[in-house]
Amino acid sequence: MQKSNIKIIGGKYRGKKLFMGDKEITRSTKNILKESVFNTLQWEVDDSIWVEMFSGVGSIGLEAISRGAKKAYFIEKDPDAIKVLKKNIDSMEPEKCEIVLGDAFERVWDIIDDLKYNKEKAFFYFDPPFAIREGYEDIYKRVEDLIKTLPKINVEKILIEHQSDYEFPDRIGKYEKIKTRKFGKSSVSYYQ
């Protein structure tokens, strides 16, 4: 049985519980962190587009949809996490959501192509597996390398959820760090 301890905290679906799935597969974004992100971006969310990299159960993209975003892309490679994600999407507004199955570092380019074709910008939310997990020791370096290549014309803002003991640089390519907010072991760094 899947437990749910994560909810949509604002907007149209406020209070709606999301399915969580197996904690071994996904690590959900803390509510306090999520609330801070959406309070910070408050007026920018309406009618926006979101790309949730390493999306897990989709709590960030679905929060954006609840608050008026017009579209959310979810990139996830784990088939079990995808099942839970699909369940969460189906319980809200599936027509505004698109699941992209596969490696986020490769599949993001399909989304970039969509954004270029439609002349649109998106918020890119990176929540990679923590670097302490086996096989992910270089994950933050890979995230930085990817961000350097994202076309500015298609980027509204970039947000990176990361371990608080890791400091991302003040600049990543053409993107400048605006701020970092710390929430215990997790932090969010904002780039524009």
Side-chain angles (χ1 to χ4, degrees):
M1 167 124 174
Q2 290 176 329
K3 286 188 222 110
S4 176
N5 64 350
I6 193 149
K7 295 178 185 172
I8 299 294
I9 51 179
K12 187 175 173 181
Y13 295 98
R14 184 189 180 129
K16 178 169 187 31
K17 289 183 176 171
L18 296 177
F19 296 102
M20 275 305 297
D22 185 353
K23 286 259 199 257
E24 292 301 304
I25 303 165
T26 60
R27 172 186 51 78
S28 70
T29 298
K30 286 185 193 162
N31 280 339
I32 190 166
L33 185 151
K34 189 164 63 166
E35 191 163 10
S36 169
V37 164
F38 285 95
N39 285 346
T40 300
L41 301 173
Q42 214 167 353
W43 312 115
E44 298 175 67
V45 179
D46 201 37
D47 218 28
S48 62
I49 297 170
W50 286 69
V51 179
E52 188 175 357
M53 310 279 291
F54 320 96
S55 69
V57 300
S59 71
I60 293 294
L62 290 172
E63 186 72 40
I65 293 291
S66 179
R67 292 170 184 251
K70 68 177 176 184
K71 174 128 186 153
Y73 294 91
F74 302 88
I75 310 179
E76 177 57 56
K77 71 177 181 182
D78 186 279
D80 293 327
I82 293 266
K83 284 179 198 157
V84 179
L85 173 61
K86 188 163 175 15
K87 224 168 148 176
N88 285 330
I89 287 171
D90 287 347
S91 73
M92 286 177 62
E93 296 181 52
E95 70 283 358
K96 291 185 175 181
C97 301
E98 189 175 323
I99 297 173
V100 179
L101 175 62
D103 185 315
F105 294 102
E106 294 162 14
R107 297 303 310 271
V108 70
W109 298 107
D110 298 333
I111 296 169
I112 295 286
D113 287 345
D114 272 5
L115 294 171
K116 280 181 179 169
Y117 181 80
N118 295 311
K119 295 179 174 59
E120 291 175 318
K121 288 183 165 209
F123 287 88
F124 286 80
Y125 194 94
F126 287 82
D127 182 9
F130 274 3
I132 48 176
R133 276 185 51 191
E134 196 175 322
Y136 289 96
E137 296 80 9
D138 67 340
I139 192 81
Y140 294 146
K141 171 82 175 88
R142 291 185 67 204
V143 165
E144 284 178 40
D145 290 345
L146 175 62
I147 288 170
K148 285 176 188 169
T149 63
L150 292 177
K152 229 175 167 176
I153 195 164
N154 300 117
V155 174
E156 197 67 61
K157 275 190 178 76
I158 295 166
L159 290 81
I160 311 164
E161 187 176 330
H162 57 91
Q163 288 168 248
S164 291
D165 60 8
Y166 186 88
E167 178 118 5
F168 275 92
D170 290 339
R171 275 194 94 75
I172 300 178
K174 46 200 166 295
Y175 301 101
E176 196 172 332
K177 192 195 296 182
I178 312 164
K179 63 181 156 210
T180 298
R181 293 267 185 271
K182 190 176 175 181
F183 306 89
K185 290 180 183 166
S186 299
S187 291
V188 180
S189 292
Y190 296 72
Y191 286 84
Q192 198 166 324

